[in-house]
Amino acid sequence: MHTRSRGFTLIELLVVIAIIAILAAILFPVFARAREKARQTQCLSNLKQIGLGWMMYASDYDERVMPVEIPSSTSIAYYWWTAYDTSTSTRIPEGGLLYPYMKNQQINACPSFMNAMRSDVGHTGYAYNYVYLSPMDYSTWPNWKVLPTSLAAIQSPSETVTFADGARISFTDMKTLEANTYLDPPSWAYPGFHGRHNGVGNVAFADGHAKAETPTYREGTFGYGYDAALYKSNNLGDIDSDGNLATDEMFDLQ
Ligand SMILES: [Ca+2]
Ligand SMILES: [Ca+2]
């Protein structure tokens, strides 16, 4: 009597392996997107807290918004995200202007951007609308001034960006993506809004809400001969609502 082998034949085994490989190829990107979605949610929570800290700062300083940095006559430089001792090249995170309202440097870290630490910045992922909220006056150099606006001057708080997912192409090698804490508006030199969460980036607004936005990408060359394709391939774009990159309606005080 012929008895059938109870094991798999080689063909059957190959078919099973092929099916597993196909399922893995289909599911792994889905898992990766789901993980990225979770990081996006954590990032949104960070930005919301940063935005609320920014509002608390203003209420402690006569309704004047937080300056992007404070001119100093000593070796200590004060920025919104950290202080920095230029004589020893060391960061002093607790000296950051927003730190008293955060008490936690980790909030400055976007979970999707942890590998982009810069020694002078630390873990960060967020950039500040400094051009309109905290303009700088260099006309009296070296005694330059920072002129943070008043909360009351912001006419549409729910449509005015305070902070957003930020990054820049390294000025040194012109290809590496690195942290950037200054968010330029569309009419300025280069786009710094980073769509790092499945193609969207998070944005905080002056009324305290935060939400995801899709970057608007530039074309051709711009600024000092920058290649728009390089920026787009790194998800670096602008925050814009009217399709005109010459106007800064999401950043200005109107
Ligand atoms: Ca515009
Ligand atoms: Ca506006």
Side-chain angles (χ1 to χ4, degrees), residues 56-75:
M56 285 160 72
Y57 185 105
S59 66
D60 275 359
Y61 287 84
D62 269 348
E63 307 288 302
R64 256 316 112 196
V65 309
M66 179 191 71
V68 66
E69 55 184 278
I70 291 181
S72 164
S73 51
T74 70
S75 68

Side-chain angles (χ1 to χ4, degrees), residues 6-42:
R6 298 173 140 257
F8 292 108
T9 66
L10 183 58
I11 287 293
E12 286 166 338
L13 204 58
L14 288 175
V15 167
V16 168
I17 289 171
I19 290 172
I20 290 171
I22 291 167
L23 282 177
I26 293 168
L27 289 176
F28 283 178
V30 175
F31 294 153
R33 285 184 72 83
R35 278 198 303 273
E36 180 46 52
K37 194 79 197 165
R39 288 193 287 263
Q40 180 182 339
T41 305
Q42 175 61 49

Side-chain angles (χ1 to χ4, degrees), residues 156 159-160 248-254:
S156 326
E159 295 168 350
T160 304
D248 300 330
E249 69 284 349
M250 301 295 285
F251 290 74
D252 64 18
L253 303 182
Q254 277 90 61

